[in-house]
Amino acid sequence: MEPICLVEPVPSSGALRVNPAALGLLRVLARPLHVLAVFGPCGTGKSFLMDRLVGQGKGFPRSPGIWVWCLPHPTQPDQALVLLDTEGFSEQEGDETKLSRLFLLNVLLSSVFVYNTRSEDDPQRQLDRLTYVRDLPRVVRVLDESSWENSVVLSSVLPDFVWCLRDVAPDPCLDEALEAMDHELDSALRFPQDSDDSPSSCVQRLFPCRKLFRFCSPRGDGGHGEPPSPADQLHPMFQEQMGRFKDYALSRSPKTVVGNRAVDGAFLADFLEHIVDLLSRDEPVFLSEICNGLQQEGSNYSMGYPVDPMGGAPARRAAATTAQLSVPEPKREHMVPLQASRPALPVLAKVAPGTAQPGAMEEPMCLIENSPDGELQLNQAALALLQSVRQPVVVVAIAGLYRTGKSYLMNRLAGKDRGGFSLGSTIQSHTKGIWMWCLPHPRRAGHTLVLLDTEGLGDVEKGDTKNDTWIFALAVLLSGTLVYNSLGTIDQCALEQLHYVTELTERIKVKAAGEGGRQEGEDSAEFVRFFPAFVWAVRDFTLQLQLDGREITEDEYLENALKRRQGQPEKLDLPKKYLRQYFPSRKCFVFDRPAPRHALAQLDQLPEAALSPDFLEQAQHFCSHIHQHAGAKTLPGGHVVTGTLLGNLAVTYVDAIRSGAVPCMESAVLALAQIENSAAVGEAVAAYEEQLGRRAALPTESVRELLELHAQCEREALRAFMARAFKDDEQQYQQQLKDKLDSKRAELCHRNELASSDRCTAALLELSQELEERVREGSYSVPGGYQRLLDDQREMVEKYQLVPEKGIMAAEVLQQFLKSKETVAQAVLQTDQSLTDRQREIEVERARAEAAEREAQRSQEMQARTEQLLQAQERSHQEHVQQLTAKLEQDRRQLQAEQERALALKLQEQERLLREGFRGEAARLEQQMQNLRQEMSRPTAPPCVVF
């Protein structure tokens, strides 16, 4: 299709209206959309940039409004490429309301937003001309009600921001430095102040992924103005810069909306109509409300499916329009649902590679809340932020009775003296649900610290103790380190208040019921493999740490409090029993009161000088321990959990609770494996293509060289897959990857053949120009002309053989070329009066023999090529087997280490039970240890490769 106006200003009123014809073209796109929008001042070459992006001389007109161009995606056949070109704004004051609305539409519709300016004086001044960015948090909100800063939530749904700075002075060194910094926009900006409301500061606060691309003048003479149309007349440096920009812009994820749900053309068209209507009425845009409304109204939208990192299409709508554009049909790949009984989840969050910390939050957000009907539910905006974190997560949760200072302690962990988790200063519980704060880890590079602050337990105003139990269970299930916060001392009252530990067997299951399931005793014995490390924080502690006349450590104080005695009431004994059984890794910290009682109401406002020195020292000791010793959260078997996986865990557990079921950890892990393994396949294919883009120089001189290139890229792809995949016991996903890589190999061979054929054909056409000219002039239609023709052909072939880098199709293309000239040669032969009939017959036979020889040589090359392909397939199979074997061995070692730790802890507990006189429990623990030893001694079967 040609570009068409999508949104145009109404001349009489200045309002915006949508072109129905353009909406109709959008609605036939039933696949993920890659939407790239350009916005900027007049006369900066926006339309030229978009035309060059798709390799066109001229496409977009220079007209008012927003124009749309729908094209096949040049690198992702399962996506459609949608380009939006918007009228420019001028230096003089114009219709600011119209321009602000056009800017908002560009941002809300796109997956990549391009701001295009010229470089004049101070570059940051050009960015600060984008004053309309201030309207974003004022006009656009994710939710209609939010108690946190809207910009934090809004940033999770905004597109990539790309600043294209045009007509800069050519500077290869500066280009190299910018590329080394991954084109990060912030590297070129002055660091903003917190109070700075400049457009550049707003861009830094609102857009999670910000890039900068520099372009010299496209004109070969370095001048300004309309650049020439032929690509070979463009400035070479501009062409290189354009190539880097194109590679980035076309490699981004498809367009998504709230919850990271992919959209098709029909949804985008309806989405656009709703936003234009709201903007025309000067009403705020609530994105969550719009998306949820459209989802309910239009069940045929192809949205809500996980976004394949490689741009794979979601399932197509049942009733797709037959008037399709020339976008290739999407591949229908099998997607394994998390649960067939519920809609697809936003399990693959949009990630911004190259950003310093995807998902990092300026302040906490509620992750799990109580719905109006009293049920737990997930906050989708917070979930999207969590799922955008692709780094390993260190998850620290805090639980305990209400009004015991949990939030303040978590703020200390976050390194915040002020702000952070909200504190209460009355007798009422303040924190509701589970609040989350994602921060860069202060000591572990490449890790994200996730702090979970839970609603206070035992709130007398709440009345529903079942909700308390679920909050505590979720804190246990989601964390890698659980901090239990209490006041005073660890006495009988404190232990009785920890009755939630005794109820965990009723709230959590390790094994699914049915075949392979376990009895309750066996099930709870497995908790140690899933449960977090336990830290007891005793606040306002006033006692001396002494026992029997000697000083003791805080850990010894805890262990002494957990001593069990024969005949002790069950109400007191059970918390000790289960705390020791479920949480064998335990630590204790005691804290003085941080300030005098009258100052506690303003605790978060007090300067450090007003706090107790002992408390500050104890808090520093606590924070140092957590930061240093709290490890990344893992699943059984040692698989490291990322923010994406943690978000999926939260979805699975909350859904189970809402349905009335008991969360099952084994089922959750298996469901996560399906999601993660699907993503691992996509990530591996992306790694293959990235490696291929770096290494490939087509055509290659031999098939062996090409297959070695494929093998190197395949090896890297397999490493990426093995690093992320887990519990692919039947090798279902590795088989999917192998099929994809086999297709990539066939595609690479085809591309190599085409590149070779094109280069060889071009060489022959150039070398044969003089010969063709002589044929047209009749130079060979004379006595002796046939021999002269043969001599010229041999000379041409000799020159052709000297042409370098022809590739693997050199002989075949030459054979086809000479065969196409046989008719001319025969005509010259028949008219050459200097030859006798016998000589003509001899020449005919000689020509046939030469052709047969060339054909035999070609057949041999084809046979050798086929053999090399078969050898490559065998090498590929062996590479898969080798990496699978290494992966299984790594998993086996991790499991063995996990089992050895569990065995050592059980042995330690057994010895303690014997000393305390609980011989019956020690005997049952011995049986558990025996079962574990048998499991550890069971011989490991060699890997059975199913592909």
Side-chain angles (χ1 to χ4, degrees):
M1 63 166 280
E2 294 297 319
I4 183 173
C5 184
L6 176 64
V7 179
E8 57 187 348
V10 180
S12 58
S13 64
L16 301 179
R17 65 185 176 195
V18 183
N19 181 4
L23 291 180
L25 290 173
L26 273 179
R27 285 195 168 97
V28 301
L29 300 176
R31 67 204 59 215
L33 306 180
H34 187 96
V35 187
L36 195 148
V38 66
F39 188 83
C42 297
T44 54
K46 301 186 304 299
S47 301
F48 174 76
L49 189 72
M50 299 296 268
D51 295 340
R52 297 306 313 163
L53 188 69
V54 292
Q56 299 291 327
K58 272 197 175 183
F60 280 108
R62 279 59 171 173
S63 301
I66 301 177
W67 286 65
V68 62
W69 196 359
C70 301
L71 299 159
H73 197 293
T75 60
Q76 301 291 347
D78 291 344
Q79 296 179 26
L81 178 62
V82 178
L83 303 181
L84 302 178
D85 187 18
T86 305
E87 66 176 273
F89 57 87
S90 62
E91 290 278 3
Q92 293 76 26
E93 290 189 8
D95 188 345
E96 295 300 301
T97 299
K98 179 193 74 172
L99 290 170
S100 175
R101 290 171 177 174
L102 291 176
F103 166 78
L104 294 173
L105 284 173
N106 273 269
V107 170
L108 295 177
L109 294 177
S110 62
S111 50
V112 177
F113 173 80
V114 177
Y115 178 56
N116 187 80
T117 70
R118 291 195 189 280
S119 175
E120 299 173 359
D121 302 326
D122 181 9
Q124 188 158 334
R125 178 179 171 274
Q126 297 300 316
L127 186 58
D128 284 335
R129 291 180 64 186
L130 190 63
T131 56
Y132 314 106
V133 73
R134 296 192 185 110
D135 296 335
L136 256 176
R138 179 181 60 82
V139 177
V140 181
R141 302 186 72 87
V142 177
L143 303 173
D144 54 356
E145 294 182 1
S146 58
S147 57
W148 53 85
E149 181 66 30
N150 181 50
S151 60
V152 175
V153 188
L154 188 59
S155 67
S156 68
V157 298
L158 292 184
D160 292 3
F161 183 95
V162 179
W163 182 16
C164 289
L165 192 58
R166 305 287 295 280
D167 294 347
V168 300
D171 189 339
C173 294
L174 191 55
D175 282 354
E176 289 179 7
L178 187 61
E179 183 150 12
M181 291 184 288
D182 200 23
H183 291 272
E184 290 295 334
L185 170 62
D186 294 359
S187 64
L189 297 181
R190 296 184 293 270
F191 191 79
Q193 300 299 319
D194 291 341
S195 59
D196 191 357
D197 194 37
S198 66
S200 56
S201 298
C202 291
V203 167
Q204 288 179 293
R205 285 197 299 269
L206 291 173
F207 291 89
C209 180
R210 305 169 295 277
K211 299 293 180 180
L212 170 65
F213 287 86
R214 302 171 71 256
F215 297 86
C216 67
S217 170
R219 295 176 62 94
D221 57 8
H224 299 306
E226 186 69 20
S229 295
D232 56 3
Q233 296 182 25
L234 297 177
H235 195 291
M237 185 172 290
F238 175 85
Q239 295 186 54
E240 290 182 16
Q241 294 163 337
M242 187 67 205
R244 287 192 285 268
F245 167 69
K246 183 177 180 179
D247 289 344
Y248 174 83
L250 296 180
S251 66
R252 311 308 295 156
S253 300
K255 169 66 181 172
T256 59
V257 291
V258 176
N260 195 47
R261 291 169 286 192
V263 304
D264 62 0
F267 182 90
L268 193 69
D270 292 343
F271 185 63
L272 168 63
E273 286 189 297
H274 276 71
I275 295 175
V276 169
D277 177 61
L278 291 170
L279 293 178
S280 299
R281 291 187 280 120
D282 288 325
E283 294 185 7
V285 177
F286 295 114
L287 296 179
S288 183
E289 179 181 312
I290 295 174
C291 294
N292 290 337
L294 290 177
Q295 181 74 355
Q296 293 171 4
E297 295 170 8
S299 58
N300 285 332
Y301 293 134
S302 294
M303 64 170 287
Y305 290 83
V307 179
D308 186 344
M310 292 309 301
R316 293 176 59 86
R317 288 180 294 164
T321 309
T322 56
Q324 293 289 332
L325 296 178
S326 58
V327 183
E329 278 293 313
K331 300 174 184 176
R332 293 174 173 84
E333 298 177 1
H334 177 62
M335 298 294 294
V336 180
L338 184 63
Q339 288 186 13
S341 60
R342 71 167 188 259
L345 297 168
V347 294
L348 295 177
K350 178 168 63 176
V351 179
T355 56
Q357 184 80 43
M361 300 161 57
E362 295 179 3
E363 59 184 23
M365 295 173 63
C366 185
L367 176 64
I368 299 173
E369 58 193 356
N370 288 307
S371 65
D373 58 3
E375 289 190 336
L376 295 174
Q377 64 182 18
L378 280 157
N379 176 351
Q380 293 300 314
L383 178 64
L385 277 178
L386 178 60
Q387 290 179 319
S388 72
V389 178
R390 293 290 297 276
Q391 295 179 338
V393 289
V394 177
V395 189
V396 181
I398 192 165
L401 296 183
Y402 77 108
R403 305 307 309 121
T404 55
K406 300 185 303 300
S407 300
Y408 181 75
L409 198 59
M410 294 300 268
N411 288 337
R412 302 291 303 189
L413 267 181
K416 301 292 183 180
D417 295 330
R418 289 176 174 80
F421 291 109
S422 178
L423 308 185
S425 58
T426 68
I427 62 172
Q428 291 179 308
S429 174
H430 196 70
T431 302
K432 300 296 183 183
I434 298 180
W435 284 65
M436 172 189 74
W437 200 356
C438 299
L439 299 160
H441 198 286
R443 296 196 184 181
R444 296 174 184 261
H447 287 65
T448 294
L449 177 64
V450 179
L451 302 178
L452 301 178
D453 186 14
T454 66
E455 179 176 346
L457 308 174
D459 183 1
V460 294
E461 294 184 359
K462 183 163 53 178
D464 183 7
T465 58
K466 185 172 69 173
N467 183 267
D468 281 351
T469 306
W470 283 127
I471 291 289
F472 185 81
L474 284 171
V476 170
L477 290 169
L478 296 177
S479 65
T481 299
L482 176 67
V483 180
Y484 180 72
N485 192 75
S486 69
L487 290 177
T489 60
I490 305 178
D491 54 14
Q492 179 175 343
C493 180
L495 289 168
E496 288 177 356
Q497 289 170 347
L498 196 53
H499 63 86
Y500 304 101
V501 174
T502 68
E503 301 171 17
L504 287 177
T505 54
E506 302 172 9
R507 304 299 179 191
I508 299 173
K509 292 296 180 186
V510 173
K511 290 281 187 180
E515 185 178 354
R518 301 191 178 201
Q519 300 298 319
E520 180 177 331
E522 296 177 289
D523 197 64
S524 60
E526 290 289 309
F527 281 0
V528 65
R529 297 179 57 192
F530 287 84
F531 276 18
F534 185 88
V535 176
W536 195 320
V538 186
R539 308 291 295 279
D540 297 356
F541 185 77
T542 58
L543 302 179
Q544 295 294 320
L545 284 175
Q546 291 184 353
L547 182 65
D548 297 333
R550 67 177 183 90
E551 290 189 357
I552 59 174
T553 65
E554 295 156 304
D555 293 342
E556 289 174 327
Y557 171 64
L558 172 61
E559 295 308 312
N560 182 68
L562 295 181
K563 279 185 179 179
R564 299 174 61 195
R565 296 173 177 82
Q566 292 285 351
Q568 205 169 35
E570 186 178 77
K571 186 177 181 180
L572 180 59
D573 182 60
L574 283 182
K576 295 181 179 181
K577 172 183 175 180
Y578 288 124
L579 190 61
R580 283 165 48 171
Q581 182 176 336
Y582 300 159
F583 301 97
S585 174
R586 297 181 295 273
K587 188 76 178 170
C588 181
F589 293 89
V590 298
F591 300 84
D592 284 12
R593 179 175 290 170
R597 183 179 297 276
H598 65 83
L600 293 179
Q602 291 82 34
L603 186 58
D604 59 334
Q605 303 299 321
L606 294 179
E608 290 223 347
L611 298 178
S612 162
D614 289 340
F615 172 82
L616 289 175
E617 182 180 350
Q618 294 158 345
Q620 179 59 39
H621 181 44
F622 167 77
C623 293
S624 295
H625 172 83
I626 296 296
H627 291 156
Q628 183 173 350
H629 296 288
K633 181 171 176 60
T634 59
L635 300 174
H639 187 76
V640 176
V641 173
T642 62
T644 306
L645 277 176
L646 185 65
N648 295 332
L649 269 177
V651 169
T652 305
Y653 291 143
V654 171
D655 279 1
I657 294 170
R658 287 172 59 88
S659 68
V662 176
C664 175
M665 291 183 282
E666 182 185 56
S667 299
V669 170
L670 292 177
L672 287 185
Q674 293 180 350
I675 297 169
E676 191 74 348
N677 292 343
S678 293
V681 172
E683 187 173 300
V685 174
Y688 174 91
E689 295 191 338
E690 180 186 3
Q691 291 294 321
L692 188 64
R694 292 179 180 178
R695 302 168 186 252
L698 304 182
T700 60
E701 290 301 312
S702 67
V703 175
R704 187 180 302 279
E705 181 183 346
L706 182 74
L707 294 178
E708 178 58 33
L709 170 65
H710 167 78
Q712 293 171 358
C713 298
E714 182 180 40
R715 193 173 300 118
E716 294 302 319
L718 269 172
R719 286 173 182 161
F721 174 81
M722 294 298 179
R724 187 167 184 179
F726 70 103
K727 286 195 174 298
D728 186 20
D729 298 334
E730 298 180 359
Q731 299 152 40
Q732 170 189 352
Y733 295 95
Q734 189 172 355
Q735 178 65 58
Q736 288 182 17
L737 176 60
K738 188 176 187 304
D739 292 343
K740 286 178 179 288
L741 293 179
D742 287 347
S743 298
K744 292 291 181 183
R745 182 183 61 217
E747 178 186 334
L748 179 62
C749 290
H750 180 62
R751 286 171 50 198
N752 192 51
E753 291 175 357
L754 285 179
S756 177
S757 296
D758 291 346
R759 183 164 295 183
C760 294
T761 301
L764 285 171
L765 289 175
E766 181 179 349
L767 293 172
S768 65
Q769 284 181 357
E770 187 176 350
L771 187 148
E772 295 290 343
E773 184 65 27
R774 290 173 182 172
V775 170
R776 286 193 295 272
E777 293 174 351
S779 300
Y780 300 118
S781 300
V782 296
Y786 180 70
Q787 186 59 46
R788 184 181 174 187
L789 173 64
L790 293 181
D791 292 342
D792 288 348
Q793 278 190 344
R794 289 192 186 96
E795 181 182 358
M796 182 202 68
V797 170
E798 289 172 359
K799 291 180 179 179
Y800 172 76
Q801 301 292 2
L802 296 176
V803 174
E805 300 177 350
K806 294 189 296 296
I808 63 174
M809 300 296 289
E812 187 167 343
V813 172
L814 177 62
Q815 169 74 352
Q816 294 172 353
F817 180 83
L818 294 177
K819 190 172 183 179
S820 68
K821 305 302 179 185
E822 287 180 357
T823 303
V824 174
Q826 288 299 316
V828 173
L829 176 63
Q830 297 303 322
T831 59
D832 192 343
Q833 298 178 0
S834 66
L835 298 175
T836 64
D837 291 343
R838 178 58 184 161
Q839 288 175 321
R840 291 192 183 93
E841 291 176 1
I842 292 173
E843 288 299 326
V844 169
E845 290 300 323
R846 184 192 57 76
R848 287 176 181 169
E850 289 180 354
E853 183 179 353
R854 288 194 299 269
E855 180 63 27
Q857 179 184 355
R858 190 182 71 86
S859 297
Q860 290 177 358
E861 291 180 357
M862 291 292 293
Q863 178 64 28
R865 197 180 306 171
T866 301
E867 292 176 359
Q868 289 172 347
L869 283 172
L870 292 174
Q871 293 171 2
Q873 290 176 1
E874 178 59 26
R875 284 198 303 271
S876 171
H877 176 77
Q878 292 302 324
E879 183 68 33
H880 277 264
V881 172
Q882 179 181 344
Q883 293 211 26
L884 175 61
T885 303
K887 169 75 170 175
L888 293 176
E889 175 59 22
Q890 179 187 3
D891 292 346
R892 186 195 66 78
R893 288 197 301 268
Q894 289 177 340
L895 178 61
Q896 184 178 15
E898 188 178 279
Q899 291 171 330
E900 288 173 352
R901 284 194 300 271
L903 186 61
L905 292 169
K906 287 178 182 293
L907 183 60
Q908 180 181 330
E909 178 64 15
Q910 184 192 39
E911 292 173 353
R912 188 172 181 181
L913 287 172
L914 288 172
R915 288 197 305 269
E916 295 169 344
F918 292 89
R919 299 190 177 279
E921 291 185 25
R924 287 192 292 272
L925 195 56
E926 175 62 34
Q927 184 59 51
Q928 292 178 12
M929 290 191 293
Q930 190 62 33
N931 294 338
L932 185 55
R933 291 189 187 99
Q934 290 177 359
E935 186 177 341
M936 293 170 63
S937 63
R938 192 175 300 131
T940 304
C944 177
V945 181
V946 299
F947 47 81

